[in-house]
Amino acid sequence: MKIAVDAMGGDHAPDAPVKGALAAIQEQPSLDVILVGEPAAIHRVFNPLPERVTVFPASQVITMEDRPVAAVKTKRDSSMVHMIKLVAGGEAVAGISAGNTGALMTAGLLSLGRMPGIERPALSAILPVLQGWGVMLLDVGANLDPKPSQLVQYALMGSVYCEEVFGMARPRVALLNVGEEAGKGPPLIREAYQWLKSTSLNFIGNLEARELLQGKADVVICDGFSGNIALKLTEGVARDIMSQLRRVMLRNWTTKLATLFLKSGLNELRTLLDYQEYGGAPLLGLDQPIYKCHGASETKAFRIAITMAHQFAVSGSQQRIKERVVGEETNG
Amino acid sequence: MKIAVDAMGGDHAPDAPVKGALAAIQEQPSLDVILVGEPAAIHRVFNPLPERVTVFPASQVITMEDRPVAAVKTKRDSSMVHMIKLVAGGEAVAGISAGNTGALMTAGLLSLGRMPGIERPALSAILPVLQGWGVMLLDVGANLDPKPSQLVQYALMGSVYCEEVFGMARPRVALLNVGEEAGKGPPLIREAYQWLKSTSLNFIGNLEARELLQGKADVVICDGFSGNIALKLTEGVARDIMSQLRRVMLRNWTTKLATLFLKSGLNELRTLLDYQEYGGAPLLGLDQPIYKCHGASETKAFRIAITMAHQFAVSGSQQRIKERVVGEETNG
């Protein structure tokens, strides 16, 4: 099965996506990768490429500064647009990019369309949980002004994804809110709360942001504005504290020496907080599987994301998610 | 000058407010405190109280679980309601509580009213900044669904407060948003952005949540829903990382020994992340000064908040904030 990878997207392109692809095919014997991008730039990273890694040429790159809709419409020969088209045309079973998120969503909507029964796709992210596995947060920025019905659809897609991909039996779904009680929050959240209670999902109610990383829920639902803030704040606070900690440890020779004895534990903590361990997160609600990697992704994140996308495609989960979404009544 | 303190509010009441008051009067010779609450409970903490600390009796307590409006209306003999009335009646120049935030805002609105020119008061919070002083975030939950004009009023109040209380020359004001560019975000934020550009404030544009603790802005404006999530998430992530770090350090005797050499640096980091260092935060937009302490406040937080409220009252800042607010055209 072939996975299409945007080789020009992200801060470390084409280096990280190319090396990530090479590492992923080593791990998965049934996986082939199509690297989409400028052939010369790709070959400068590794040459000759192994047989299972092919190059699909694209002369343009959509940058982080590009306006999504305009970029997708005018940069028709960009690596991202061609990557999506390979998935749309069936040449690849899933696609991956670490590039401009808005453009990726736009290109996905234009070429792949929405899953039947879904009004608006959502961008998900996996956040680290300090005891246990991660928590899936969605939407983290695809739709800044959603309706209650759309939050309910996010919950359904996130829940089914966790069942299919992570093998969870009854994923715990919660709403991110300013208090735990049922009546809390703005009308959007209060309405979604009532609606979620009436679904077959394992809805456990509201979750306060203070508890987001404590493993109390598996899928946490929010509007794209708050979700984007929650995602970036988690990343920022973790990065800032770890960097202050580094300063404390490098202060003088005794602190440096002491740090040596803490090294293995600190590395575990760093690994836990490293978004790269989570690879990429799916754009849920598109008709075919597209994964988004963090813009700062290095080789490891691409390797894991490519492997995740491949396993997802092999498992036939996309089809089962579609069936489940159509089965539930969530349209507003 | 007298400061009224709700002696029954918060997780550590009456212990923490009583001891905080005793510590504060030691520091400030011109400060008197009125402790409002159940006299027997207060005297059990310390007896006899020094002359400058008096008790105003109140037989009821508004709890964290109480519904704000109902609680303020039915618990007329509660410590919080009496504390606010002492301020309204001029017996105290400012009031402090670590109790139910919604009830505090409701009681403040009913007894003190709004500052002229302010449509809705805001709850502010001071977050730690890893290099430099803190950042003032508002609103963190008073108003979950504000209008653009209200965000502009928050910006004005926060900016003037930082000038008056922290002596900043031109506080940098930013909007919390999903991207830095002017066109980013939902309509509420885009409209407030345009409006803020036309004021005399030192508006520096949008700030992404990733940079909230980096000291790039002094006053950060957001709606109460996102602000509440940002506040609680910052607190939760910092607490969770520090607790994981403790586990790493207590793992065995070598790690415990190594930790001894890092102690002073780690204590600095812990102090930096300790919300108690920031005392309390003002409910901006009420006609008289009321400070809210974190529910988990201990003696130190009360001591600092009482001192802050006293200095604020002595400085005459409330009057100057009012004059500045009336001077600016921000009504929608």
Side-chain angles (χ1 to χ4, degrees), chain B residues 38-110:
Chain B
E38 221 269 286
I42 292 170
H43 286 298
R44 262 197 298 279
V45 180
F46 200 87
N47 200 24
L49 290 164
E51 223 175 90
R52 284 160 53 205
V53 179
T54 51
V55 175
F56 187 98
S59 68
Q60 292 174 303
V61 177
I62 293 178
T63 68
M64 293 295 190
E65 290 71 37
D66 277 334
R67 288 181 163 262
V69 178
V72 170
K73 290 197 170 156
T74 59
K75 293 187 171 177
R76 286 162 185 262
D77 196 34
S78 63
S79 55
M80 187 188 281
V81 167
H82 281 303
M83 178 276 284
I84 293 276
K85 286 200 166 147
L86 288 170
V87 179
E91 283 107 312
V93 293
I96 290 173
S97 177
N100 186 314
T101 309
L104 188 62
M105 184 59 91
T106 304
L109 279 170
L110 285 174

Side-chain angles (χ1 to χ4, degrees), chain A residues 230-263:
Chain A
L231 172 67
K232 288 177 181 164
L233 194 57
T234 302
E235 196 185 313
V237 174
R239 175 205 57 203
D240 291 347
I241 294 179
M242 294 308 276
S243 100
Q244 285 298 111
L245 194 61
R246 201 157 31 244
R247 282 166 53 110
V248 165
M249 291 175 166
L250 295 178
R251 188 164 290 177
N252 56 46
W253 72 266
T254 43
T255 61
K256 284 184 195 164
L257 192 66
T259 302
L260 287 181
F261 292 95
L262 296 167
K263 212 171 173 184

